Amino acid sequence: MLLHVVLCLGTSAFKSPDEFKVSLPLRTNYLYGKVKKTLPELYAFTVCLWLKSSASPGIGTPFSYAVPGQANEVVLIEWGNNPIELLINDKVAQLPLFISAYGESSTHICVATWIYAETSMWEAFQDGEKTGTGDNLAPWHPIKPGGVLILGQEQDTVGGRFDATQAFVGEMSQFNIWDRVLKPEDVMTIANCSANMPGNIIPWIDSNVDVFGGATKWPVESCEERLLDL
Ligand SMILES: *[C@@H]1O[C@H](CO)[C@@H](O)[C@H](O)[C@H]1NC(C)=O
């Protein structure tokens, strides 16, 4: 029975298809991960991930989503000594998230937005706690479907024209996206390792992430091990 289960999981190189991290060891313009799935049209979303930065100043770009006509459709970036920013349709929200450069441990962050509204709002969470909210980000702007989702680089054109100074250097895992605003309890439950909730539109699954240019996939420490590192 156990053997049967193992064989059925044979398409994943890892113990279970979500138990991997992507390592981006160098600040270059050619090392990145690519999520094979694209986004549908979105009126709200939550994105969460664990990350560990090993660069300074600025963690760079954990992820970017570009569509034809708008390279900055959704971008999370910390460039130089600026705060971490969420860009939607090239509009900017500065987020109260603080990721240490050369951090010893992983940090869990989530950003939730409800953009298709007059008071287009966002909420930021770090290690399960809400660290701030804001509004007027990109009112009445649905996220456009069918673009390209890149891990570790900022796109100046769909799928390319990366800039080494904006690259993320470090490790990331459990990059999940939901098409709704997660409740604060759900964010805490994920961050404190009480539950593994895969994103309903982008789940963190080995077969859904390709790596390029020297980026690599590794077995990830367990959620509890990441927490104990804190
Ligand atoms: C994790 O967070 C949830 C939601 O806030 C809470 O109910 C649960 O007790 C927490 N578990 C631990 C181990 O802290």
Side-chain angles (χ1 to χ4, degrees):
M1 186 60 187
L2 183 62
L3 183 65
H4 178 72
V5 170
V6 170
L7 291 176
C8 288
L9 292 173
T11 50
S12 171
F14 300 102
K15 257 189 302 180
S16 106
D18 68 322
E19 288 188 353
F20 73 102
K21 62 185 172 188
V22 167
S23 171
L24 302 148
L26 297 169
R27 182 154 271 178
T28 70
N29 66 352
Y30 55 81
L31 193 143
Y32 65 101
K34 184 174 179 214
V35 178
K36 288 190 212 165
K37 284 185 81 170
T38 186
L39 298 181
E41 186 170 61
L42 290 174
Y43 302 95
F45 69 89
T46 303
V47 55
C48 294
L49 69 155
W50 288 89
L51 49 78
K52 188 195 280 193
S53 163
S54 23
S56 170
I59 65 164
T61 310
F63 78 92
S64 62
Y65 176 72
V67 298
Q70 182 48 274
N72 294 331
E73 184 68 359
V74 186
V75 182
L76 187 69
I77 184 168
E78 183 187 49
W79 196 11
N81 294 308
N82 296 315
I84 296 187
E85 295 175 338
L86 175 70
L87 278 65
I88 292 191
N89 192 29
D90 216 23
K91 306 292 186 303
V92 181
Q94 299 194 329
L95 304 179
L97 297 174
F98 303 95
I99 315 290
S100 43
Y102 305 109
E104 286 294 299
S105 59
S106 294
T107 304
H108 187 256
I109 60 171
C110 292
V111 185
T113 70
W114 184 276
I115 41 179
Y116 196 71
E118 196 161 338
T119 54
S120 155
M121 52 66 83
W122 57 264
E123 297 176 331
F125 298 83
Q126 182 160 351
D127 295 326
E129 307 279 356
K130 193 185 286 189
T131 59
T133 63
D135 59 16
N136 205 27
L137 176 53
W140 304 121
H141 178 77
I143 302 301
K144 296 197 189 81
V148 171
L149 194 47
I150 295 287
L151 303 177
Q153 296 282 353
E154 205 272 338
Q155 309 171 61
D156 281 344
T157 186
V158 178
R161 292 240 307 273
F162 305 144
D163 175 345
T165 68
Q166 298 177 326
F168 171 84
V169 186
E171 294 176 350
M172 69 175 79
S173 62
Q174 288 296 338
F175 173 84
N176 286 292
I177 305 182
W178 296 260
D179 61 358
R180 62 180 193 275
V181 173
L182 290 191
K183 294 192 209 99
E185 308 88 84
D186 291 339
V187 172
M188 179 53 92
T189 300
I190 298 169
N192 75 11
C193 302
S194 301
N196 180 17
M197 285 175 49
N200 71 323
I201 50 170
I202 302 289
W204 184 248
I205 293 174
D206 172 26
S207 58
N208 191 29
V209 180
D210 287 330
V211 287
F212 298 93
T216 47
K217 293 195 234 177
W218 294 91
V220 75
E221 55 277 14
S222 69
C223 191
E224 288 79 7
E225 282 164 341
R226 282 195 297 273
L227 265 188
L228 290 173
D229 263 358
L230 287 173

